[in-house]
Amino acid sequence: MKRHLTLLICMMFLCQWMHAEDGSLLWLRQKGTAATSITSNKTTQTTSIAVNELKNAWKGLPVSLIIKKNKSLCKEGFMIEKKDGNIIVSSPTDKGILYGAYHLLRLQASNPDFKTTLPIIENPTYSLRLLNHWDNLDGTIERGYAGQSLWQWDELPETLSPRYETYARANASIGINGTVLNNVNASPQILSGPYLQKVKALADLFRPYGIRVYLSANFASPMVLGQLDTADPLNKQVIRWWKNKVKEIYQLIPDFGGFLVKANSEGQPGPCDFGRTHAEGANMLADALKPYKGIVMWRAFVYSPNDADRAKQAYQEFKPLDGMFRDNVIIQTKNGPVDFQPREPYSPLFTAIEHTDQMVELQVTQEYLGHSNHIAYLAPMWKEFFEFVPATTLKAIAGVANIGTDINWCGHPFAQSNWYAFGRLAWNPSLTSEEIADEWLKQTFSSKEEFLSPAKQIMLQSHEAVVDYMMPMGLHHLFAWGHHYGPEPWCAIPGARPDWMPSYYHKADAQGIGFDRSSKGSNAVAQYPTALAEKYNQLDTCPEEYILWFHHVAWNHPMKNGQSLWNNLCRHYDRGVQQVRLFQKLWDQTEKYVDEERFYEIQSSLKTQMRDAIWWKDACLLYFQTFSKMPFPTDMERPIHRLDDLKKVNLGISNYECPDEELLNRNR
Ligand code: BDP
C-alpha cells in the first residue's frame, strides 16, 4: 500500500513536471479535438507538413489544400475561402499552402469570427524575409541573451537537434523564409568543406519549411582558406577562388540563398583594404553567385574612426556608389543612422539610394533595450521606421535574431513576441502593433479579456517606457562600455575611439545637451529629403523625440509645454520609471489567467526592470545635473542613488583594464 502511494506521488510529480510551463512551445500551442478531414491535391514534403499541422490543431470544417494558379497570388501568397461546407486554402505553390495553413490556425486562435471575413487573400510584401543570426562557430552569440547558439556545430552534420525543426516550424508559421546562420563578424571557417557539410544538413532540414539558408562571408576568406596573398576583388585568382567556392556550395545546397557581408566595418576585412570600393567588392561576389540566382546582401554599417559625425558616414560612403551595384546586390542598412539605439530617426540612406536594391536590418535581440531582462515590445519602434520609409521602396527585410538554446528560446517570455512581430511585419508591414500583440498574446497565453487588456497595455507602452528611462528626447549611446546594458554617460576611456564614448553623442556642457546636427553643426540634416531636412534643422519644428539627436539645446530652453529642457528631460526619465511601476501592477492583475511558471518569471524580471529603470534615471539625471546645475522638479521621484556610487558600478564585463588599444577598440 505504502509502495503504491509513493508511486502515485512520484507519478503526480512527474506529470506536474512534464506539464511545467517552460515557454518552449512559443506561440504554437493549439491542439485539435476531433480528426477533421484535411486533404491536399498534391503531396510534397511541404504540403505534408501543412496537413499534419492542421490535423494536430485545426478544430473546424474539413480543409482542402489546393495548389493551383491564381492571378491575384504571388508565389508565396494564398487564399482562404469557404465553399460547400469546406475551407479551401489555395496557392500557386506548396510554400504558399504552408503559409495558408499556419494563417488558418492563427485565425482560429485569434479571431473567433474569422469565417465572416472570408475569402482572404494574402501576399507577402517582401519576397525575402530573413533572420540574421550573429552566432559564432564556438557556440557563443554576439549580443545574444538567450543562451548559446542553436547550431550544434560539433554534432552536425550527423546529429540533428530536434530544436532545428521546431525553429523551422516557428519561422514558417510567421512567414520567415530565410536564415543567415552565422555572425556578420564572420569566421572564414564557415566556408570550409567540413562546415559546408554541416550547413547542408541544416539547409536540407529547413527546405520543406520554405526556409533558405544564407551565410555571412568573411571578405578575406580567399587568404585564410585559400592561402592567397590577397583578397583584392579585382584579382583573377581571388575571383576564381570565389567562383569555385560558390560552385562547391551550390553542389551541396542547390537553393543556397547567398552571402551577407560586413566589410570594412569595425575591423572586418573588405575591398577598401585593397583600394577598391564597396561596389567592386560586392559585385565580384555577385558575379560568382549570379549563375545560381544567389544574392549578396552588402551591409552599409560603416564608420571610420576619424571622420566627423558618425551618423553621416554610411550615406557619405554609399550614396556616391548608387547605381554601381549588380542587380543581385542588396544594400542592407540598419533602421537608424547610428546603431540600433532605443530611438533613432530613420537612416537617410533609405531615401537617398535610388538605383540599387535596399533592405532594412532591424534588431530583434535587445542589445540596447535591456537584453532579455526588460520587456520591450518592438513592433511600435519598427512601425515608426515604416512611417518614413515606404514598405515598397525596400526589396527585403532582415532581423537580427534573439534566439538561443534557452528552453524558452528568447530568454524573456515577452522577447518571443519580438521574433513573432518581426515575422508578421516582414510579411505585412501595415499590420498594427496592437493587432500583432493581440495575436501573439492569444496564441501564447490566453484569450481572456481580463488577461489581454493589461498584458497588451504593457506591451504597447513598453518601448516608449524604455526610451524614457534610458535615452529620451533623441539622446543616444549613453551605454556602459562593453556590455550595452547599463548607463555610463560619463564613460571616458583614454585612447579609445571617440565615437565609442557617450560624450561624443550627448555633448553635455554648461550650456546644454545634444548633438548639433543642424546646418550650424555637422549638417547631417542635409542628408534627408528637403521637407524633412528643414523640419529637423529648426529647433522649433524638430520633433521633441529627436530634439537632442539634431540639436544642442540650452538647459533652460523653453519646450512646447512651456517648461525648460531640463525639466522635460527629468520628466521623461521619471515617466519611464513610473511606467515600469505601472507594468508591475498590470502584470499582477494577470495572475489568475497565466500559469504559475511564466507569471512568476515575468513578475520577477519586472523587478529587475524596475531596478534598472531607476538606475538609468538616477545615473543620467545626476550626471547631467553636474552640467545643468538645475534642481529636479519638485513633483518628480527623487534619486535614490548617489552619483559617486553609480560611477563605481561595474558589471564585470567591461574592458577597463585592457591595455591593448587595438583590442580595446575591437571589443566595444
Ligand atoms: C553593433 C554591435 C556589434 C555588431 C555591430 C554590427 O554592438 O556587436 O557587430 O553592431 O552590426 O551594434 O556589425
PDB file of all heavy atoms in Angstrom, residues 134 142-143 145 183-185 262 265-266 268 299 301 303 310 334 338-341 361 363 367-368 400 477 482 484 668, ligand 1:
ATOM      1  N   TRP A 134      23.630  36.179 -35.260  1.00  0.00           N
ATOM      2  CA  TRP A 134      25.003  36.623 -35.007  1.00  0.00           C
ATOM      3  C   TRP A 134      25.720  35.521 -34.219  1.00  0.00           C
ATOM      4  O   TRP A 134      26.339  35.757 -33.187  1.00  0.00           O
ATOM      5  CB  TRP A 134      24.998  37.956 -34.259  1.00  0.00           C
ATOM      6  CG  TRP A 134      24.664  39.146 -35.129  1.00  0.00           C
ATOM      7  CD1 TRP A 134      24.376  39.138 -36.468  1.00  0.00           C
ATOM      8  CD2 TRP A 134      24.586  40.522 -34.716  1.00  0.00           C
ATOM      9  NE1 TRP A 134      24.128  40.421 -36.917  1.00  0.00           N
ATOM     10  CE2 TRP A 134      24.245  41.284 -35.869  1.00  0.00           C
ATOM     11  CE3 TRP A 134      24.769  41.181 -33.500  1.00  0.00           C
ATOM     12  CZ2 TRP A 134      24.090  42.674 -35.821  1.00  0.00           C
ATOM     13  CZ3 TRP A 134      24.610  42.558 -33.447  1.00  0.00           C
ATOM     14  CH2 TRP A 134      24.282  43.293 -34.601  1.00  0.00           C
ATOM     15  N   GLU A 142      27.052  36.689 -30.539  1.00  0.00           N
ATOM     16  CA  GLU A 142      27.323  38.108 -30.321  1.00  0.00           C
ATOM     17  C   GLU A 142      25.990  38.798 -30.040  1.00  0.00           C
ATOM     18  O   GLU A 142      25.032  38.668 -30.811  1.00  0.00           O
ATOM     19  CB  GLU A 142      27.991  38.693 -31.578  1.00  0.00           C
ATOM     20  CG  GLU A 142      28.324  40.157 -31.418  1.00  0.00           C
ATOM     21  CD  GLU A 142      29.571  40.564 -32.193  1.00  0.00           C
ATOM     22  OE1 GLU A 142      30.326  39.691 -32.656  1.00  0.00           O
ATOM     23  OE2 GLU A 142      29.773  41.785 -32.320  1.00  0.00           O
ATOM     24  N   ARG A 143      25.941  39.482 -28.922  1.00  0.00           N
ATOM     25  CA  ARG A 143      24.726  40.194 -28.491  1.00  0.00           C
ATOM     26  C   ARG A 143      23.536  39.261 -28.341  1.00  0.00           C
ATOM     27  O   ARG A 143      22.400  39.630 -28.635  1.00  0.00           O
ATOM     28  CB  ARG A 143      24.372  41.342 -29.446  1.00  0.00           C
ATOM     29  CG  ARG A 143      25.525  42.231 -29.839  1.00  0.00           C
ATOM     30  CD  ARG A 143      26.241  42.841 -28.659  1.00  0.00           C
ATOM     31  NE  ARG A 143      27.394  43.622 -29.093  1.00  0.00           N
ATOM     32  CZ  ARG A 143      28.233  44.197 -28.241  1.00  0.00           C
ATOM     33  NH1 ARG A 143      28.086  44.070 -26.943  1.00  0.00           N
ATOM     34  NH2 ARG A 143      29.242  44.893 -28.698  1.00  0.00           N
ATOM     35  N   TYR A 145      21.231  36.962 -25.820  1.00  0.00           N
ATOM     36  CA  TYR A 145      20.888  36.953 -24.393  1.00  0.00           C
ATOM     37  C   TYR A 145      19.949  35.800 -24.057  1.00  0.00           C
ATOM     38  O   TYR A 145      19.127  35.901 -23.155  1.00  0.00           O
ATOM     39  CB  TYR A 145      20.277  38.314 -24.011  1.00  0.00           C
ATOM     40  CG  TYR A 145      21.107  39.454 -24.557  1.00  0.00           C
ATOM     41  CD1 TYR A 145      20.669  40.202 -25.655  1.00  0.00           C
ATOM     42  CD2 TYR A 145      22.363  39.738 -24.028  1.00  0.00           C
ATOM     43  CE1 TYR A 145      21.458  41.208 -26.195  1.00  0.00           C
ATOM     44  CE2 TYR A 145      23.155  40.742 -24.563  1.00  0.00           C
ATOM     45  CZ  TYR A 145      22.706  41.473 -25.647  1.00  0.00           C
ATOM     46  OH  TYR A 145      23.490  42.450 -26.181  1.00  0.00           O
ATOM     47  N   ASN A 183      27.408  34.771 -37.664  1.00  0.00           N
ATOM     48  CA  ASN A 183      27.667  36.175 -37.331  1.00  0.00           C
ATOM     49  C   ASN A 183      28.218  36.980 -38.521  1.00  0.00           C
ATOM     50  O   ASN A 183      29.039  36.465 -39.288  1.00  0.00           O
ATOM     51  CB  ASN A 183      28.694  36.183 -36.191  1.00  0.00           C
ATOM     52  CG  ASN A 183      28.842  37.534 -35.537  1.00  0.00           C
ATOM     53  OD1 ASN A 183      28.223  38.509 -35.956  1.00  0.00           O
ATOM     54  ND2 ASN A 183      29.675  37.593 -34.506  1.00  0.00           N
ATOM     55  N   VAL A 184      27.803  38.229 -38.600  1.00  0.00           N
ATOM     56  CA  VAL A 184      28.371  39.112 -39.628  1.00  0.00           C
ATOM     57  C   VAL A 184      29.868  39.338 -39.412  1.00  0.00           C
ATOM     58  O   VAL A 184      30.595  39.623 -40.362  1.00  0.00           O
ATOM     59  CB  VAL A 184      27.643  40.476 -39.692  1.00  0.00           C
ATOM     60  CG1 VAL A 184      26.282  40.336 -40.321  1.00  0.00           C
ATOM     61  CG2 VAL A 184      27.547  41.116 -38.304  1.00  0.00           C
ATOM     62  N   ASN A 185      30.289  39.254 -38.150  1.00  0.00           N
ATOM     63  CA  ASN A 185      31.735  39.223 -37.894  1.00  0.00           C
ATOM     64  C   ASN A 185      32.128  37.769 -38.137  1.00  0.00           C
ATOM     65  O   ASN A 185      32.250  36.969 -37.221  1.00  0.00           O
ATOM     66  CB  ASN A 185      32.042  39.640 -36.451  1.00  0.00           C
ATOM     67  CG  ASN A 185      31.622  41.080 -36.206  1.00  0.00           C
ATOM     68  OD1 ASN A 185      31.843  41.963 -37.044  1.00  0.00           O
ATOM     69  ND2 ASN A 185      30.982  41.336 -35.087  1.00  0.00           N
ATOM     70  N   LYS A 262      29.727  41.927 -44.027  1.00  0.00           N
ATOM     71  CA  LYS A 262      30.108  43.125 -43.273  1.00  0.00           C
ATOM     72  C   LYS A 262      31.544  43.408 -43.674  1.00  0.00           C
ATOM     73  O   LYS A 262      32.444  42.642 -43.323  1.00  0.00           O
ATOM     74  CB  LYS A 262      30.002  42.841 -41.772  1.00  0.00           C
ATOM     75  CG  LYS A 262      30.579  43.935 -40.876  1.00  0.00           C
ATOM     76  CD  LYS A 262      30.314  43.630 -39.395  1.00  0.00           C
ATOM     77  CE  LYS A 262      30.928  44.673 -38.475  1.00  0.00           C
ATOM     78  NZ  LYS A 262      30.625  44.423 -37.053  1.00  0.00           N
ATOM     79  N   SER A 265      34.263  47.400 -41.766  1.00  0.00           N
ATOM     80  CA  SER A 265      33.475  47.949 -40.674  1.00  0.00           C
ATOM     81  C   SER A 265      33.958  47.298 -39.394  1.00  0.00           C
ATOM     82  O   SER A 265      34.091  46.070 -39.337  1.00  0.00           O
ATOM     83  CB  SER A 265      32.006  47.613 -40.922  1.00  0.00           C
ATOM     84  OG  SER A 265      31.241  47.758 -39.749  1.00  0.00           O
ATOM     85  N   GLU A 266      34.257  48.105 -38.406  1.00  0.00           N
ATOM     86  CA  GLU A 266      34.679  47.609 -37.093  1.00  0.00           C
ATOM     87  C   GLU A 266      35.750  46.529 -37.189  1.00  0.00           C
ATOM     88  O   GLU A 266      35.666  45.485 -36.563  1.00  0.00           O
ATOM     89  CB  GLU A 266      33.465  47.090 -36.315  1.00  0.00           C
ATOM     90  CG  GLU A 266      32.428  48.174 -36.057  1.00  0.00           C
ATOM     91  CD  GLU A 266      31.260  47.734 -35.175  1.00  0.00           C
ATOM     92  OE1 GLU A 266      30.901  46.559 -35.226  1.00  0.00           O
ATOM     93  OE2 GLU A 266      30.727  48.593 -34.469  1.00  0.00           O
ATOM     94  N   GLN A 268      36.542  44.544 -39.686  1.00  0.00           N
ATOM     95  CA  GLN A 268      36.366  43.443 -40.642  1.00  0.00           C
ATOM     96  C   GLN A 268      37.069  43.768 -41.960  1.00  0.00           C
ATOM     97  O   GLN A 268      37.089  44.921 -42.390  1.00  0.00           O
ATOM     98  CB  GLN A 268      34.874  43.197 -40.915  1.00  0.00           C
ATOM     99  CG  GLN A 268      34.113  42.630 -39.731  1.00  0.00           C
ATOM    100  CD  GLN A 268      34.697  41.323 -39.237  1.00  0.00           C
ATOM    101  OE1 GLN A 268      34.979  40.419 -40.015  1.00  0.00           O
ATOM    102  NE2 GLN A 268      34.916  41.243 -37.926  1.00  0.00           N
ATOM    103  N   ARG A 299      26.307  45.019 -46.300  1.00  0.00           N
ATOM    104  CA  ARG A 299      25.882  45.917 -45.221  1.00  0.00           C
ATOM    105  C   ARG A 299      26.463  47.326 -45.375  1.00  0.00           C
ATOM    106  O   ARG A 299      27.623  47.495 -45.747  1.00  0.00           O
ATOM    107  CB  ARG A 299      26.279  45.351 -43.864  1.00  0.00           C
ATOM    108  CG  ARG A 299      25.511  44.108 -43.526  1.00  0.00           C
ATOM    109  CD  ARG A 299      25.996  43.512 -42.245  1.00  0.00           C
ATOM    110  NE  ARG A 299      25.254  43.902 -41.072  1.00  0.00           N
ATOM    111  CZ  ARG A 299      25.795  44.355 -39.950  1.00  0.00           C
ATOM    112  NH1 ARG A 299      27.095  44.555 -39.858  1.00  0.00           N
ATOM    113  NH2 ARG A 299      25.049  44.634 -38.912  1.00  0.00           N
ATOM    114  N   PHE A 301      26.672  49.298 -42.786  1.00  0.00           N
ATOM    115  CA  PHE A 301      27.040  49.698 -41.428  1.00  0.00           C
ATOM    116  C   PHE A 301      28.538  49.995 -41.391  1.00  0.00           C
ATOM    117  O   PHE A 301      29.342  49.156 -41.015  1.00  0.00           O
ATOM    118  CB  PHE A 301      26.666  48.575 -40.458  1.00  0.00           C
ATOM    119  CG  PHE A 301      26.992  48.875 -39.027  1.00  0.00           C
ATOM    120  CD1 PHE A 301      26.352  49.903 -38.353  1.00  0.00           C
ATOM    121  CD2 PHE A 301      27.940  48.128 -38.341  1.00  0.00           C
ATOM    122  CE1 PHE A 301      26.654  50.175 -37.028  1.00  0.00           C
ATOM    123  CE2 PHE A 301      28.251  48.397 -37.008  1.00  0.00           C
ATOM    124  CZ  PHE A 301      27.601  49.422 -36.358  1.00  0.00           C
ATOM    125  N   TYR A 303      31.620  53.025 -40.546  1.00  0.00           N
ATOM    126  CA  TYR A 303      32.011  54.327 -39.991  1.00  0.00           C
ATOM    127  C   TYR A 303      33.472  54.232 -39.610  1.00  0.00           C
ATOM    128  O   TYR A 303      33.891  53.322 -38.931  1.00  0.00           O
ATOM    129  CB  TYR A 303      31.127  54.689 -38.784  1.00  0.00           C
ATOM    130  CG  TYR A 303      31.170  53.707 -37.645  1.00  0.00           C
ATOM    131  CD1 TYR A 303      31.898  53.979 -36.491  1.00  0.00           C
ATOM    132  CD2 TYR A 303      30.494  52.490 -37.725  1.00  0.00           C
ATOM    133  CE1 TYR A 303      31.951  53.072 -35.441  1.00  0.00           C
ATOM    134  CE2 TYR A 303      30.539  51.572 -36.687  1.00  0.00           C
ATOM    135  CZ  TYR A 303      31.269  51.868 -35.547  1.00  0.00           C
ATOM    136  OH  TYR A 303      31.321  50.962 -34.519  1.00  0.00           O
ATOM    137  N   ARG A 310      29.537  60.432 -36.975  1.00  0.00           N
ATOM    138  CA  ARG A 310      29.323  59.027 -37.322  1.00  0.00           C
ATOM    139  C   ARG A 310      27.983  58.817 -38.033  1.00  0.00           C
ATOM    140  O   ARG A 310      27.866  57.968 -38.920  1.00  0.00           O
ATOM    141  CB  ARG A 310      29.392  58.185 -36.045  1.00  0.00           C
ATOM    142  CG  ARG A 310      28.966  56.767 -36.270  1.00  0.00           C
ATOM    143  CD  ARG A 310      29.258  55.894 -35.077  1.00  0.00           C
ATOM    144  NE  ARG A 310      28.557  54.628 -35.191  1.00  0.00           N
ATOM    145  CZ  ARG A 310      28.529  53.695 -34.266  1.00  0.00           C
ATOM    146  NH1 ARG A 310      29.175  53.894 -33.129  1.00  0.00           N
ATOM    147  NH2 ARG A 310      27.875  52.587 -34.440  1.00  0.00           N
ATOM    148  N   LYS A 334      20.941  49.384 -41.414  1.00  0.00           N
ATOM    149  CA  LYS A 334      20.190  49.374 -40.153  1.00  0.00           C
ATOM    150  C   LYS A 334      19.131  50.469 -40.192  1.00  0.00           C
ATOM    151  O   LYS A 334      19.307  51.476 -40.881  1.00  0.00           O
ATOM    152  CB  LYS A 334      21.138  49.612 -38.973  1.00  0.00           C
ATOM    153  CG  LYS A 334      22.131  48.482 -38.772  1.00  0.00           C
ATOM    154  CD  LYS A 334      22.956  48.666 -37.511  1.00  0.00           C
ATOM    155  CE  LYS A 334      23.987  47.545 -37.408  1.00  0.00           C
ATOM    156  NZ  LYS A 334      24.760  47.581 -36.157  1.00  0.00           N
ATOM    157  N   VAL A 338      22.863  55.463 -36.721  1.00  0.00           N
ATOM    158  CA  VAL A 338      23.985  55.145 -35.839  1.00  0.00           C
ATOM    159  C   VAL A 338      24.032  53.643 -35.550  1.00  0.00           C
ATOM    160  O   VAL A 338      24.801  52.927 -36.170  1.00  0.00           O
ATOM    161  CB  VAL A 338      23.976  56.017 -34.561  1.00  0.00           C
ATOM    162  CG1 VAL A 338      24.970  55.512 -33.531  1.00  0.00           C
ATOM    163  CG2 VAL A 338      24.373  57.446 -34.925  1.00  0.00           C
ATOM    164  N   ASP A 339      23.175  53.162 -34.662  1.00  0.00           N
ATOM    165  CA  ASP A 339      23.317  51.736 -34.335  1.00  0.00           C
ATOM    166  C   ASP A 339      22.237  51.232 -33.389  1.00  0.00           C
ATOM    167  O   ASP A 339      22.509  51.083 -32.202  1.00  0.00           O
ATOM    168  CB  ASP A 339      24.703  51.502 -33.706  1.00  0.00           C
ATOM    169  CG  ASP A 339      25.010  50.031 -33.558  1.00  0.00           C
ATOM    170  OD1 ASP A 339      24.169  49.215 -33.946  1.00  0.00           O
ATOM    171  OD2 ASP A 339      26.095  49.712 -33.040  1.00  0.00           O
ATOM    172  N   PHE A 340      21.079  50.903 -33.887  1.00  0.00           N
ATOM    173  CA  PHE A 340      20.060  50.218 -33.091  1.00  0.00           C
ATOM    174  C   PHE A 340      19.814  50.858 -31.724  1.00  0.00           C
ATOM    175  O   PHE A 340      19.613  50.158 -30.722  1.00  0.00           O
ATOM    176  CB  PHE A 340      20.464  48.755 -32.864  1.00  0.00           C
ATOM    177  CG  PHE A 340      20.511  47.911 -34.108  1.00  0.00           C
ATOM    178  CD1 PHE A 340      21.531  46.966 -34.286  1.00  0.00           C
ATOM    179  CD2 PHE A 340      19.540  48.016 -35.098  1.00  0.00           C
ATOM    180  CE1 PHE A 340      21.571  46.156 -35.418  1.00  0.00           C
ATOM    181  CE2 PHE A 340      19.574  47.202 -36.228  1.00  0.00           C
ATOM    182  CZ  PHE A 340      20.592  46.276 -36.387  1.00  0.00           C
ATOM    183  N   GLN A 341      19.875  52.178 -31.653  1.00  0.00           N
ATOM    184  CA  GLN A 341      19.625  52.823 -30.378  1.00  0.00           C
ATOM    185  C   GLN A 341      18.134  52.745 -30.039  1.00  0.00           C
ATOM    186  O   GLN A 341      17.308  52.493 -30.924  1.00  0.00           O
ATOM    187  CB  GLN A 341      20.104  54.276 -30.453  1.00  0.00           C
ATOM    188  CG  GLN A 341      21.599  54.390 -30.644  1.00  0.00           C
ATOM    189  CD  GLN A 341      22.360  53.692 -29.531  1.00  0.00           C
ATOM    190  OE1 GLN A 341      22.357  54.149 -28.397  1.00  0.00           O
ATOM    191  NE2 GLN A 341      22.986  52.560 -29.834  1.00  0.00           N
ATOM    192  N   GLU A 361      17.748  46.349 -41.931  1.00  0.00           N
ATOM    193  CA  GLU A 361      18.147  45.404 -40.884  1.00  0.00           C
ATOM    194  C   GLU A 361      17.599  45.926 -39.559  1.00  0.00           C
ATOM    195  O   GLU A 361      17.953  47.022 -39.128  1.00  0.00           O
ATOM    196  CB  GLU A 361      19.685  45.310 -40.841  1.00  0.00           C
ATOM    197  CG  GLU A 361      20.225  44.411 -39.751  1.00  0.00           C
ATOM    198  CD  GLU A 361      21.759  44.348 -39.766  1.00  0.00           C
ATOM    199  OE1 GLU A 361      22.367  44.167 -40.850  1.00  0.00           O
ATOM    200  OE2 GLU A 361      22.357  44.508 -38.682  1.00  0.00           O
ATOM    201  N   GLN A 363      16.862  45.091 -35.375  1.00  0.00           N
ATOM    202  CA  GLN A 363      17.490  44.233 -34.364  1.00  0.00           C
ATOM    203  C   GLN A 363      16.417  43.666 -33.436  1.00  0.00           C
ATOM    204  O   GLN A 363      15.785  44.394 -32.676  1.00  0.00           O
ATOM    205  CB  GLN A 363      18.544  45.008 -33.566  1.00  0.00           C
ATOM    206  CG  GLN A 363      19.470  44.084 -32.787  1.00  0.00           C
ATOM    207  CD  GLN A 363      20.573  44.825 -32.043  1.00  0.00           C
ATOM    208  OE1 GLN A 363      20.339  45.869 -31.467  1.00  0.00           O
ATOM    209  NE2 GLN A 363      21.781  44.275 -32.025  1.00  0.00           N
ATOM    210  N   GLU A 367      19.931  44.264 -27.784  1.00  0.00           N
ATOM    211  CA  GLU A 367      21.271  44.711 -27.396  1.00  0.00           C
ATOM    212  C   GLU A 367      21.223  46.019 -26.614  1.00  0.00           C
ATOM    213  O   GLU A 367      21.928  46.189 -25.630  1.00  0.00           O
ATOM    214  CB  GLU A 367      22.141  44.894 -28.658  1.00  0.00           C
ATOM    215  CG  GLU A 367      23.492  45.501 -28.341  1.00  0.00           C
ATOM    216  CD  GLU A 367      24.389  45.666 -29.568  1.00  0.00           C
ATOM    217  OE1 GLU A 367      23.968  45.320 -30.686  1.00  0.00           O
ATOM    218  OE2 GLU A 367      25.524  46.147 -29.377  1.00  0.00           O
ATOM    219  N   TYR A 368      20.418  46.947 -27.095  1.00  0.00           N
ATOM    220  CA  TYR A 368      20.370  48.276 -26.485  1.00  0.00           C
ATOM    221  C   TYR A 368      19.034  48.519 -25.784  1.00  0.00           C
ATOM    222  O   TYR A 368      18.641  49.650 -25.581  1.00  0.00           O
ATOM    223  CB  TYR A 368      20.590  49.344 -27.556  1.00  0.00           C
ATOM    224  CG  TYR A 368      21.960  49.306 -28.213  1.00  0.00           C
ATOM    225  CD1 TYR A 368      22.130  48.761 -29.479  1.00  0.00           C
ATOM    226  CD2 TYR A 368      23.075  49.841 -27.574  1.00  0.00           C
ATOM    227  CE1 TYR A 368      23.374  48.740 -30.097  1.00  0.00           C
ATOM    228  CE2 TYR A 368      24.319  49.827 -28.183  1.00  0.00           C
ATOM    229  CZ  TYR A 368      24.472  49.280 -29.440  1.00  0.00           C
ATOM    230  OH  TYR A 368      25.718  49.269 -30.047  1.00  0.00           O
ATOM    231  N   VAL A 400      17.906  40.833 -36.756  1.00  0.00           N
ATOM    232  CA  VAL A 400      18.976  40.158 -36.012  1.00  0.00           C
ATOM    233  C   VAL A 400      18.319  39.349 -34.889  1.00  0.00           C
ATOM    234  O   VAL A 400      17.687  39.921 -33.992  1.00  0.00           O
ATOM    235  CB  VAL A 400      19.988  41.170 -35.443  1.00  0.00           C
ATOM    236  CG1 VAL A 400      21.084  40.434 -34.678  1.00  0.00           C
ATOM    237  CG2 VAL A 400      20.570  42.028 -36.556  1.00  0.00           C
ATOM    238  N   HIS A 477      23.336  56.357 -27.231  1.00  0.00           N
ATOM    239  CA  HIS A 477      24.633  55.779 -26.880  1.00  0.00           C
ATOM    240  C   HIS A 477      25.193  56.254 -25.552  1.00  0.00           C
ATOM    241  O   HIS A 477      26.370  56.607 -25.441  1.00  0.00           O
ATOM    242  CB  HIS A 477      25.653  56.041 -27.996  1.00  0.00           C
ATOM    243  CG  HIS A 477      26.175  54.742 -28.573  1.00  0.00           C
ATOM    244  ND1 HIS A 477      26.590  53.722 -27.768  1.00  0.00           N
ATOM    245  CD2 HIS A 477      26.310  54.305 -29.858  1.00  0.00           C
ATOM    246  CE1 HIS A 477      26.967  52.705 -28.532  1.00  0.00           C
ATOM    247  NE2 HIS A 477      26.784  53.017 -29.805  1.00  0.00           N
ATOM    248  N   GLY A 482      31.364  48.245 -23.156  1.00  0.00           N
ATOM    249  CA  GLY A 482      31.428  46.784 -23.199  1.00  0.00           C
ATOM    250  C   GLY A 482      30.099  46.075 -23.298  1.00  0.00           C
ATOM    251  O   GLY A 482      29.887  45.311 -24.205  1.00  0.00           O
ATOM    252  N   HIS A 484      26.662  47.343 -23.098  1.00  0.00           N
ATOM    253  CA  HIS A 484      25.464  47.954 -23.676  1.00  0.00           C
ATOM    254  C   HIS A 484      24.214  47.654 -22.857  1.00  0.00           C
ATOM    255  O   HIS A 484      23.135  47.491 -23.398  1.00  0.00           O
ATOM    256  CB  HIS A 484      25.252  47.498 -25.135  1.00  0.00           C
ATOM    257  CG  HIS A 484      26.344  47.949 -26.054  1.00  0.00           C
ATOM    258  ND1 HIS A 484      26.443  47.547 -27.363  1.00  0.00           N
ATOM    259  CD2 HIS A 484      27.383  48.780 -25.841  1.00  0.00           C
ATOM    260  CE1 HIS A 484      27.495  48.093 -27.926  1.00  0.00           C
ATOM    261  NE2 HIS A 484      28.091  48.848 -27.009  1.00  0.00           N
ATOM    262  N   ARG A 668      34.489  46.664 -28.189  1.00  0.00           N
ATOM    263  CA  ARG A 668      33.419  47.536 -27.765  1.00  0.00           C
ATOM    264  C   ARG A 668      32.079  46.897 -28.087  1.00  0.00           C
ATOM    265  O   ARG A 668      31.855  46.465 -29.192  1.00  0.00           O
ATOM    266  CB  ARG A 668      33.569  48.875 -28.483  1.00  0.00           C
ATOM    267  CG  ARG A 668      32.395  49.836 -28.263  1.00  0.00           C
ATOM    268  CD  ARG A 668      32.313  50.273 -26.839  1.00  0.00           C
ATOM    269  NE  ARG A 668      31.585  51.542 -26.769  1.00  0.00           N
ATOM    270  CZ  ARG A 668      30.695  51.805 -25.828  1.00  0.00           C
ATOM    271  NH1 ARG A 668      30.422  50.934 -24.911  1.00  0.00           N
ATOM    272  NH2 ARG A 668      30.099  52.983 -25.785  1.00  0.00           N
TER     273      ARG A 668
HETATM  274  C1  BDP B   1      26.839  46.706 -33.052  1.00  0.00           C
HETATM  275  C2  BDP B   1      27.136  45.547 -32.158  1.00  0.00           C
HETATM  276  C3  BDP B   1      28.243  44.678 -32.678  1.00  0.00           C
HETATM  277  C4  BDP B   1      27.933  44.285 -34.106  1.00  0.00           C
HETATM  278  C5  BDP B   1      27.737  45.516 -34.948  1.00  0.00           C
HETATM  279  C6  BDP B   1      27.282  45.196 -36.357  1.00  0.00           C
HETATM  280  O1  BDP B   1      27.493  46.059 -30.882  1.00  0.00           O
HETATM  281  O2  BDP B   1      28.355  43.564 -31.839  1.00  0.00           O
HETATM  282  O3  BDP B   1      28.954  43.507 -34.642  1.00  0.00           O
HETATM  283  O4  BDP B   1      26.718  46.308 -34.385  1.00  0.00           O
HETATM  284  O5  BDP B   1      26.079  45.312 -36.602  1.00  0.00           O
HETATM  285  O6  BDP B   1      25.596  47.213 -32.643  1.00  0.00           O
HETATM  286  O7  BDP B   1      28.076  44.854 -37.207  1.00  0.00           O
END
